Amino acid sequence: MNLLHSIAQSFAEGVFKLYNQEVDAHEVLINPTKKEFVGDFTIVVFPYSKPAGKAPAVIGEELGQHLVKNSNYVDRYNVVNGFLNLSVNNVFWWECLNTMHQSPSYGLSEKNGHKVLVEFSSPNTNKPLHLGHIRNILLGWSVTSILEACGYEVIKTQVINDRGIAICKSMLSWVKFGGGVTPAEAGIKSDHFVGNYYVIFENKFQEEYKTWQESESGQQLLKEKGIEEENAASFFKEYKNQYFNLYSTLGKEAREMLQQWEAGDPAVIELWTKMNDWVYQGFESTYKNLGVSFDKNYYESETYLLGKETVAIGLEKGVFQKEDDNSVWIDLTDVGMDRKIVLRSDGTSVYITQDIGTAMLRYKDFGTEKMIYTVADEQDYHFKVLFEILKRLKEPYADGLYHLNYGMVDLTTGKMKSREGTVVDADDLMAEVIEEAAAGSSERGELANLSKAEQDAIITKIGMAALKFFILKVQPRKRMTFDPKESLDMQGQTGPYIQNAYVRIQSIFRKGGSFSLLNQSIQETLEPSEKSLLTLLYSFPDVVQEAGKTYDPSHLANFCYVLAKEFHRFYHEVRILGAATEEEKAFRLGICQMTAIVIEKGMKMLGIEMPDRM
RNA sequence: GGUCUCGUAGCUCAGCUGGAUAGAGCAACUGCCUUCUAAGCAGUAGGUCUCAGGUUCGAAUCCUGUCGGGAUCACCA
């Protein structure tokens, strides 16, 4: 695949021959020519003007002549200002299509022998997955697929936050208010069931808090703090956590349960195991519907004590310092960060200590020199600190750490807040988008003579494509606003639009489009849309590499959209099965097939599947 | 307040390591189904790329600052 590179090579030789300047052919930028100008590809010659000591227009002219004479592909040229526009011959386009066809693994790199671990999803077990998780999961999954395409061996992992006060709240709530009912008996999806008891806990707690606020001790506190009556409401809002820890009965019970859990109380552990299993069952089905899976789960209950031994090593190395009260710290002020605690004065570990230990455990488990953490951008600082610590501890993988951060998802109605019930539930959202696809499909009637099962399979693909593409087309780093209406869109810049291009191609081949590309050449002048399609298809491997290098699936998503758009244009512009000559028909079918292959591969890397009809 | 991050059409977003007259979709309006699936195509309209400087032959893109949104600065996770 070095058609363009061969032109770049000739160009570099020309610069050397004519102006005695060494130019690396890889540095020569060749872009598709803009529609308003004549030509197929453009080289900007400004950069070579100064060293050559001649005006851009002059060297453009000279280099254009050189290329026509020395390149097998360049037919004609024209110069506009410092832009050298080249027109290439049919041999170029023919070889372009043919070489792509020759490569069964087009766009995919060979195995590079490197391993990378990708962490994503990372749910809490006290509530079901929501829209925020969906962005996380789709990003993580997509990056996984992209890195695999780039030749890495990828290990997909999630950290499950299965311990702590939150799950204890659900547990306590179920014990107190559940009456022994199981999810199956209640007929509720099991993770939602557990989540409901978390909500019940919060509601009961709020009631209790409210009562306390009006009680003597509540009023007493206001007096002590000198809070005016009109500020009481906002004061109590702020004070909630302290109330929970100091006065609340429910809070006390939940904390006791956590202590019992940590002490290994068999009854609590049994309850904990039972309720977490319910949650995992629920997650399992959500993951399945999202089309994702994991190679390895790390449970916080098993890792939350990790990292303590490391602190001793760090102390020896002088990376950490011990205070008089026995707490252990790291000083990062020399690189513009703060001092950070890594071990409490009572000798227990904190969040970041766990993460240090977990990173080491993962390296021991898999020997991965790269680790990617898919976590929202509110934790940017945490990961900056974590990576710096691991670097100072001279961990072998320290240079291969990457925080794949992404912006929060806002709703058009404001922020998602679980307590205010404004959370968009993952299962609900998927069901809704599939329902929308079903409505669109029955209106069109294309699937009418398929079986119910076949229809459902296709409709699911369409709905999920809409949802996934909607999320993944946006750069991860950007905060995104989620408009439910817009996410249900199936027209325009959407997943189904891209699927439609693929489906059209499949339909053509069903109508009898067999062809053979070998040993043919076409004489006809190519249509602009044919050239654009070939140019796009040709750039696919670069797009994959770019997406891999930047851990950014949105490059790929936008590429697929542009490719589909160009195909739809092509489809309207030319007749494919009804082409004038057999050669032309074969060439166009070749383009169609290649387009289908690239769309399918590219969308696969976004976790989106193609239906054969829709 | 310190640090990080985002700011492009009414809305949601592209715009690659600086390159020609800044692009899509949605929403509005106009056309196109006797021809390969109209979830499609073509067209009209919509912009001082927050603002101000700087570097450059050339800046939405790089640098400095400004204004605006967001995040973060726990012996919580």
Side-chain angles (χ1 to χ4, degrees):
Chain A
M1 283 320 288
N2 40 24
L3 285 165
L4 284 177
H5 186 70
S6 118
I7 294 176
Q9 199 102 47
S10 299
F11 181 86
E13 281 164 19
V15 174
F16 184 71
K17 219 185 260 176
L18 294 166
Y19 316 116
N20 203 27
Q21 294 291 320
E22 293 261 13
V23 175
D24 182 357
H26 295 278
E27 307 280 300
V28 177
L29 291 179
I30 303 184
N31 297 313
T33 302
K34 302 232 169 200
K35 279 189 222 77
E36 305 84 43
F37 299 92
V38 178
D40 299 314
F41 296 99
T42 298
I43 301 178
V44 182
V45 300
F46 278 107
Y48 312 99
S49 159
K50 204 180 266 176
K54 292 186 180 180
V58 176
I59 65 167
E61 197 68 36
E62 292 175 347
L63 287 164
Q65 278 172 22
H66 173 88
L67 282 176
V68 169
K69 210 181 296 169
N70 293 287
S71 167
N72 297 329
Y73 303 120
V74 178
D75 254 9
R76 280 162 288 124
Y77 73 92
N78 65 82
V79 181
V80 182
N81 298 320
F83 299 91
L84 172 58
N85 301 319
L86 307 170
S87 301
V88 297
N89 53 30
N90 280 1
V91 177
F92 176 95
W93 297 115
W94 167 255
E95 283 188 14
C96 180
L97 178 58
N98 205 33
T99 44
M100 288 191 283
H101 263 280
Q102 301 296 308
S103 156
S105 62
Y106 182 66
L108 312 181
S109 308
E110 308 233 324
K111 288 252 168 282
N112 63 19
H114 293 287
K115 277 193 205 170
V116 50
L117 181 145
V118 181
E119 171 193 318
F120 60 99
S121 187
S122 307
N124 295 318
T125 58
N126 63 309
K127 51 180 180 251
L129 303 170
H130 58 71
L131 181 54
H133 292 110
I134 288 191
R135 190 176 195 191
N136 182 309
I137 291 166
L138 295 180
L139 271 174
W141 179 263
S142 177
V143 165
T144 292
S145 312
I146 291 166
L147 290 175
E148 275 169 356
C150 291
Y152 287 94
E153 184 189 332
V154 187
I155 293 132
K156 303 174 289 265
T157 182
Q158 62 174 333
V159 170
I160 299 178
N161 300 300
D162 58 345
R163 64 166 287 277
I165 194 74
I167 182 67
C168 286
K169 288 180 184 175
S170 286
M171 285 155 61
L172 182 66
S173 169
W174 184 71
V175 169
K176 287 178 92 84
F177 314 114
V181 174
T182 65
E185 287 160 4
I188 298 174
K189 188 166 172 281
S190 52
D191 53 336
H192 289 251
F193 181 84
V194 175
N196 288 348
Y197 281 98
Y198 184 78
V199 173
I200 289 171
F201 180 93
E202 284 297 326
N203 291 341
K204 297 280 184 189
F205 170 72
Q206 285 293 351
E207 275 174 35
E208 181 201 286
Y209 189 25
K210 188 122 203 197
T211 314
W212 182 82
Q213 286 170 25
E214 286 150 13
S215 77
E216 232 166 86
S217 35
Q219 294 303 312
Q220 176 84 23
L221 182 76
L222 281 184
K223 236 180 267 168
E224 276 171 25
K225 299 265 174 188
I227 307 288
E228 305 287 331
E229 189 152 350
E230 63 262 34
N231 297 329
S234 66
F235 168 78
F236 279 128
K237 212 172 168 186
E238 292 279 307
Y239 193 74
K240 200 186 120 189
N241 279 336
Q242 289 172 68
Y243 168 76
F244 182 84
N245 289 321
L246 292 175
Y247 302 100
S248 167
T249 338
L250 282 170
K252 189 161 168 255
E253 287 177 90
R255 278 196 315 282
E256 276 168 9
M257 196 171 250
L258 181 57
Q259 280 160 14
Q260 286 162 353
W261 181 88
E262 282 177 0
D265 182 300
V268 173
I269 297 286
E270 198 197 324
L271 173 64
W272 173 78
T273 308
K274 177 164 70 181
M275 291 190 70
N276 270 344
D277 281 347
W278 287 343
V279 173
Y280 298 146
Q281 275 172 38
F283 284 175
E284 198 57 37
S285 95
T286 307
Y287 285 150
K288 192 164 169 251
N289 290 336
L290 278 167
V292 304
S293 60
F294 299 88
D295 301 316
K296 166 86 180 170
N297 294 343
Y298 286 96
Y299 296 89
E300 204 209 340
S301 56
E302 291 166 4
T303 61
Y304 81 110
L305 296 174
L306 289 179
K308 280 208 273 189
E309 322 81 66
T310 314
V311 172
I313 298 166
L315 276 167
E316 244 169 70
K317 286 187 183 169
V319 177
F320 301 138
Q321 293 86 36
K322 188 173 261 185
E323 292 284 302
D324 294 340
D325 66 353
N326 271 336
S327 60
V328 180
W329 297 74
I330 184 164
D331 188 347
L332 299 172
T333 46
D334 56 323
V335 286
M337 292 180 246
D338 302 311
R339 263 164 54 87
K340 187 89 189 169
I341 192 160
V342 292
L343 207 62
R344 296 193 187 100
S345 46
D346 63 3
T348 57
S349 42
V350 291
Y351 179 42
I352 201 146
T353 324
Q354 279 179 51
D355 271 1
I356 295 167
T358 305
M360 290 177 170
L361 177 63
R362 288 169 174 178
Y363 185 69
K364 210 170 76 195
D365 286 349
F366 298 105
T368 49
E369 59 260 60
K370 281 165 84 81
M371 297 191 198
I372 294 167
Y373 294 82
T374 312
V375 180
D377 63 4
E378 56 189 356
Q379 296 206 38
D380 281 356
Y381 183 67
H382 171 76
F383 282 103
K384 247 177 98 175
V385 172
L386 176 66
F387 295 170
E388 180 64 25
I389 293 175
L390 290 168
K391 199 174 283 181
R392 292 188 182 198
L393 289 170
K394 301 217 166 35
E395 290 298 303
Y397 48 83
D399 290 325
L401 295 164
Y402 183 76
H403 176 204
L404 173 51
N405 63 346
Y406 58 90
M408 291 291 187
V409 184
D410 290 316
L411 302 177
T412 38
T413 48
K415 263 194 179 176
M416 280 203 290
K417 291 222 173 109
S418 47
R419 242 175 291 117
E420 290 163 26
T422 53
V423 173
V424 176
D425 178 78
D427 297 317
D428 292 351
L429 182 57
M430 285 190 281
E432 217 173 309
V433 80
I434 289 167
E435 201 177 303
E436 185 71 19
S441 176
S442 74
E443 208 173 290
R444 287 158 55 84
E446 289 283 347
L447 306 178
N449 36 20
L450 294 181
S451 75
K452 181 81 172 65
E454 286 171 313
Q455 288 186 24
D456 285 349
I458 290 170
I459 285 164
T460 303
K461 281 183 186 173
I462 297 170
M464 291 308 290
L467 177 59
K468 291 181 178 183
F469 190 83
F470 180 77
I471 302 273
L472 288 174
K473 71 177 178 182
V474 182
Q475 273 184 21
R477 187 172 260 109
K478 288 196 176 172
R479 219 183 158 83
M480 65 178 291
T481 33
F482 181 85
D483 184 342
K485 273 194 307 248
E486 223 175 298
S487 71
L488 297 178
D489 242 323
M490 312 265 160
Q491 259 117 35
Q493 194 180 20
T494 66
Y497 173 95
I498 299 166
Q499 288 177 319
N500 188 226
Y502 180 88
V503 162
R504 281 179 149 178
I505 295 168
Q506 299 316 307
S507 175
I508 289 168
F509 282 106
R510 272 199 299 274
K511 291 260 152 74
S514 68
F515 70 102
S516 155
L517 264 180
L518 295 172
N519 304 320
Q520 296 180 38
S521 196
I522 49 157
Q523 301 306 312
E524 290 81 1
T525 314
L526 297 184
E527 296 295 327
S529 57
E530 291 176 285
K531 291 180 178 182
S532 315
L533 269 176
L534 285 168
T535 308
L536 277 169
L537 292 168
Y538 180 87
S539 72
F540 176 58
D542 291 339
V543 175
V544 175
Q545 291 301 316
E546 176 71 13
K549 241 187 340 207
T550 54
Y551 308 104
D552 184 350
S554 74
H555 289 296
L556 202 52
N558 286 298
F559 170 82
C560 289
Y561 171 67
V562 172
L563 180 60
K565 188 173 168 58
E566 200 55 52
F567 178 80
H568 282 306
R569 203 160 73 88
F570 165 75
Y571 182 89
H572 277 269
E573 197 172 275
V574 306
R575 309 251 68 221
I576 296 156
L577 292 174
T581 66
E582 277 306 306
E583 288 76 19
E584 195 173 56
K585 178 176 153 189
F587 190 76
R588 286 177 181 168
L589 283 171
I591 293 177
C592 286
Q593 193 179 59
M594 212 52 230
T595 304
I597 289 170
V598 169
I599 285 181
E600 189 176 24
K601 280 185 186 173
M603 293 293 272
K604 189 83 204 289
M605 290 179 216
L606 303 173
I608 301 173
E609 290 181 301
M610 292 298 115
D612 285 333
R613 49 187 89 214
M614 63 195 287

